[in-house]
Amino acid sequence: MTEETRQVLDVDVLFVGAGSASLAGALHLKRITSKAGLDISIAIIEKAREVGAHSLSGAIIDPRTLNELIPDHLEKGVPFEAEVAEEHMYYLSSKSKFRFPYLPKSMSHHGCYVASLGQFTRWLGKICEQEGIDIFCGFSGSELLYENEKVIGVRTGDRGIDKHGNHKSNFDQGVDIHAKTTVLGEGTRGSLTKTLINKFNLMQGKNPQVWAIGVKELWQMPKGSIKPGYVAHTMGFPLGHDIFGGAFIYGMKNDILDLGLVMGLDYKDPSIDPHHELQLLKTHPWVRSLLKNGKMIAYGAKSLPEGGYFSLPKLTVDGAMLIGDSAGFMNGQRLKGIHLAMKSGMEAAETILNALQKNDFSDSTLSDFQNRIDKSWIKTELYKVRNFHQAFDYGLLPALVNTGLGLLTGGRAWGVLNHLPSKNGHEHLTKLDSGSQSGGNGGNSKYDQLEFDGNYLFDKVTNVYHSATAHDEDQVPHLHVQDTDICIKRCTEEFGNPCKYFCPADVYEMTGEDNNRRLQINFSNCVHCKTCDIMDPYQIIEWVPPEGGDGPAWVNL
């Protein structure tokens, strides 16, 4: 099949990514258009082999949006693990823990539910299909389609192309899906979203997005040892006072314990390793006591947007909209974004209904989406924490003071923080001659104490095995490095190749010595967290979707 005869599928509205934002948006759109007497076609494409296979979060779900979208969700069997029943926040030193005596209401999880985001999106996806929404899994969006600078749809990726770019016997050409409105809900650092933002300069006048990475393990514990609904968050060890983030520990059904660490991708030391930080967390005596006699059963990693209200891009262009994590709808203080993502999808649906009724899908009509966001409780919630992350540039203690002031002032805090010059996360990295903390092993000396025994502490390859990640290795790698000479020479000298450390899946490896050094990309390990695309100091790594259906196969993460 040639480019001229490429199959075209016409739909009214296309959602890219079957995450909580797109599923909620598509479901709400189907209902309100039916109520308005419109019979429209809605399609969702998802790069994973099934809905939920690439969904990872803590997760604690605030049911506020779900109460609006599906008021009888409990009767419909929403797969929540448990309502939050016990909640703690601790400061950890290397050996001890200190409990915070008071949790502000805005940071409390009362009335929320511990959940598996993967199970939740599977459930929501089934409801969408029951109501006539087409979901096509295993189809990645390879490029946006334009007509006179207007987005008119998405081209899905070809399948069956070998690593040399040749067609294999199972070659299947992707299709062009044309839509009146294309809604990008790809999750964090989506490849199409990144392209759209750059093409139309949608971040002009905005603060750069501030990203974080979450690394997570599931542990199967002895029968009767875990209380579903138990919630603990920590700060301090192992990240210290200079790296934004902390740990989370959640109790699930069937004696499964969630253990994870979230850290800001705006740290300074290029030898910091998020995966190793999680392993270091497990050396704490209290954490070790929680995991005693347990067995690690699953692993994953995901980036998340924490820039807040001032880092939201312009949300619309002619023919397209941004929702959910693709746009940055997340409350960094509460470490919650699922309810905001879903609500953004619903507000997008209301905007699209108006566009359908007017038969006008230009930016002038779709831009009402921003007005709807600003009139909704999304802005109310995000604006109250608008200065939360900025203060962490000054360290933990000033940030805690700023947070306290923010709680008292409705988010103003020091006020001027949101007006300070800000920069992208990778621009915080300091060069080796500026005070590297590298140890004798070529990484950070604080990780020298880690002994990966394969039972309690795990190396990256072992953890990747527990992510059930699979890629056909006979395909063009989906991680594109524009200039490997920079990696081999300049980056080695200036930053010590931080890609070896920030990747939680051991994808990047420098092999050989001297003139024989080369960058080896173990792309089959990739868990699709996008950290490399975000944190590379030269911004020469580009993450694009692999062949549709490849990647992690998360179940309960």
Side-chain angles (χ1 to χ4, degrees), residues 312-555:
L312 295 176
K314 183 178 182 297
L315 299 173
T316 58
V317 299
D318 287 345
M321 312 171 74
L322 301 175
I323 62 173
D325 280 357
S326 286
F329 287 105
M330 181 179 163
N331 183 329
Q333 185 183 89
R334 298 182 71 199
L335 200 61
K336 281 191 182 55
I338 297 170
H339 67 299
L340 293 164
M342 293 175 65
K343 182 64 172 177
S344 72
M346 293 177 67
E347 294 295 347
E350 295 283 352
T351 305
I352 294 170
L353 172 61
N354 179 49
L356 288 164
Q357 291 172 328
K358 295 171 62 176
N359 194 29
D360 180 0
F361 307 96
S362 65
D363 184 41
S364 61
T365 295
L366 296 182
S367 62
D368 186 51
F369 180 38
Q370 182 68 62
N371 297 329
R372 291 181 180 275
I373 293 296
D374 288 340
K375 292 176 182 178
S376 74
W377 52 260
I378 289 180
K379 180 179 180 181
T380 303
E381 178 171 332
L382 290 182
Y383 202 68
K384 286 182 179 179
V385 295
R386 60 193 181 275
N387 288 310
F388 177 69
H389 195 103
Q390 285 90 335
F392 282 86
D393 278 351
Y394 303 92
L396 179 62
L397 294 179
L400 290 176
V401 173
N402 183 69
T403 299
L405 289 171
L407 293 172
L408 294 174
T409 62
R412 172 183 281 186
W414 287 333
V416 298
L417 287 176
N418 56 293
H419 301 300
L420 290 176
S422 54
K423 54 188 178 181
N424 292 291
H426 66 273
E427 294 175 318
H428 288 77
L429 288 173
T430 56
K431 296 183 178 180
L432 295 182
D433 59 2
S434 301
S436 168
Q437 300 298 314
S438 295
N441 62 354
N444 196 297
S445 59
K446 70 176 180 175
Y447 305 135
D448 291 347
Q449 63 179 288
L450 295 174
E451 297 182 7
F452 302 121
D453 58 8
N455 293 309
Y456 186 70
L457 300 182
F458 307 98
D459 60 24
K460 293 182 182 180
V461 173
T462 302
N463 268 136
V464 169
Y465 172 79
H466 285 91
S467 71
T469 294
H471 295 84
D472 181 353
E473 296 196 22
D474 189 17
Q475 65 176 293
V476 177
H478 65 282
L479 298 158
H480 301 167
V481 180
Q482 298 166 15
D483 187 345
T484 56
D485 284 343
I486 290 178
C487 306
I488 295 168
K489 298 176 182 178
R490 183 178 170 190
C491 187
T492 300
E493 296 173 358
E494 293 184 339
F495 294 102
N497 302 122
C499 61
K500 297 186 299 183
Y501 309 117
F502 59 56
C503 173
D506 205 29
V507 168
Y508 300 95
E509 183 180 358
M510 298 301 297
T511 63
E513 296 181 2
D514 300 327
N515 293 333
N516 294 319
R517 279 173 58 85
R518 69 181 184 89
L519 174 66
Q520 178 171 311
I521 302 176
N522 306 309
F523 75 89
S524 59
N525 287 1
C526 179
V527 294
H528 297 200
C529 68
K530 323 287 181 63
T531 303
C532 56
D533 195 305
I534 295 166
M535 203 58 183
D536 167 48
Y538 305 98
Q539 293 294 283
I540 59 173
I541 299 177
E542 181 182 16
W543 189 100
V544 298
E547 190 167 289
D550 284 4
W554 295 321
V555 177

Side-chain angles (χ1 to χ4, degrees), residues 135-209:
I135 303 178
F136 301 101
C137 291
F139 289 86
S140 59
S142 64
E143 61 180 293
L144 290 166
L145 302 174
Y146 299 93
E147 185 177 275
N148 299 324
E149 297 299 290
K150 176 183 179 181
V151 177
I152 61 168
V154 168
R155 175 167 294 171
T156 66
D158 296 338
R159 301 194 226 186
I161 298 179
D162 69 20
K163 58 187 176 183
H164 301 296
N166 301 316
H167 293 181
K168 296 190 287 189
S169 60
N170 65 338
F171 174 73
D172 184 18
Q173 190 177 50
V175 301
D176 286 353
I177 306 178
H178 290 179
K180 297 172 181 175
T181 304
T182 300
V183 187
L184 300 182
E186 301 176 283
T188 55
R189 196 70 164 194
S191 54
L192 299 183
T193 301
K194 178 181 174 181
T195 300
L196 191 76
I197 287 174
N198 291 339
K199 179 178 176 64
F200 293 103
N201 199 19
L202 301 183
M203 291 300 293
Q204 183 177 10
K206 310 288 187 177
N207 278 356
Q209 183 58 265

Side-chain angles (χ1 to χ4, degrees), residues 29 38 56 111 114 127 165 188 192 248 261-262 272-273 341 383 422 463 470 516:
L29 180 62
L38 300 177
L56 183 150
V114 175
I127 293 177
T188 55
L192 299 183
F248 60 88
L261 186 76
V262 174
I272 290 295
D273 188 316
Y383 202 68
S422 54
N463 268 136
N516 294 319

Side-chain angles (χ1 to χ4, degrees), residues 22-234:
S22 291
L23 293 169
L27 183 59
H28 188 56
L29 180 62
K30 185 68 174 180
R31 290 173 173 177
I32 60 176
T33 52
S34 296
K35 188 176 181 180
L38 300 177
D39 182 18
I40 69 166
S41 56
I42 303 172
I44 303 173
I45 59 172
E46 166 58 42
K47 65 182 175 67
R49 65 197 70 173
E50 64 172 332
V51 174
H54 291 177
S55 295
L56 183 150
S57 182
I60 294 179
I61 296 180
D62 183 333
R64 182 172 187 175
T65 308
L66 195 57
N67 290 335
E68 297 178 17
L69 181 65
I70 310 174
D72 58 343
H73 54 270
L74 294 176
E75 290 78 4
K76 290 184 179 295
V78 60
F80 288 153
E81 297 292 317
E83 187 171 359
V84 173
E86 181 181 345
E87 184 175 6
H88 306 281
M89 180 173 284
Y90 298 105
Y91 175 85
L92 302 184
S93 66
S94 61
K95 301 295 182 183
S96 302
K97 77 177 193 300
F98 305 92
R99 181 178 175 182
F100 283 71
Y102 170 71
L103 278 178
K105 183 178 179 180
S106 62
M107 300 173 69
S108 169
H109 298 86
H110 177 75
C112 298
Y113 294 84
V114 175
S116 156
L117 182 57
Q119 296 287 19
F120 177 72
T121 52
R122 284 180 177 89
W123 172 81
L124 196 54
K126 289 178 182 177
I127 293 177
C128 286
E129 290 180 323
Q130 290 168 2
E131 300 201 16
I133 297 166
D134 293 317
I135 303 178
F136 301 101
C137 291
F139 289 86
S140 59
S142 64
E143 61 180 293
L144 290 166
L145 302 174
Y146 299 93
E147 185 177 275
N148 299 324
E149 297 299 290
K150 176 183 179 181
V151 177
I152 61 168
V154 168
R155 175 167 294 171
T156 66
D158 296 338
R159 301 194 226 186
I161 298 179
D162 69 20
K163 58 187 176 183
H164 301 296
N166 301 316
H167 293 181
K168 296 190 287 189
S169 60
N170 65 338
F171 174 73
D172 184 18
Q173 190 177 50
V175 301
D176 286 353
I177 306 178
H178 290 179
K180 297 172 181 175
T181 304
T182 300
V183 187
L184 300 182
E186 301 176 283
T188 55
R189 196 70 164 194
S191 54
L192 299 183
T193 301
K194 178 181 174 181
T195 300
L196 191 76
I197 287 174
N198 291 339
K199 179 178 176 64
F200 293 103
N201 199 19
L202 301 183
M203 291 300 293
Q204 183 177 10
K206 310 288 187 177
N207 278 356
Q209 183 58 265
V210 179
W211 305 95
I213 180 174
V215 284
K216 177 182 177 181
E217 294 176 351
L218 291 187
W219 282 71
Q220 180 65 63
M221 302 304 299
K223 187 175 181 179
S225 63
I226 299 301
K227 179 181 179 180
Y230 172 85
V231 169
H233 291 98
T234 76

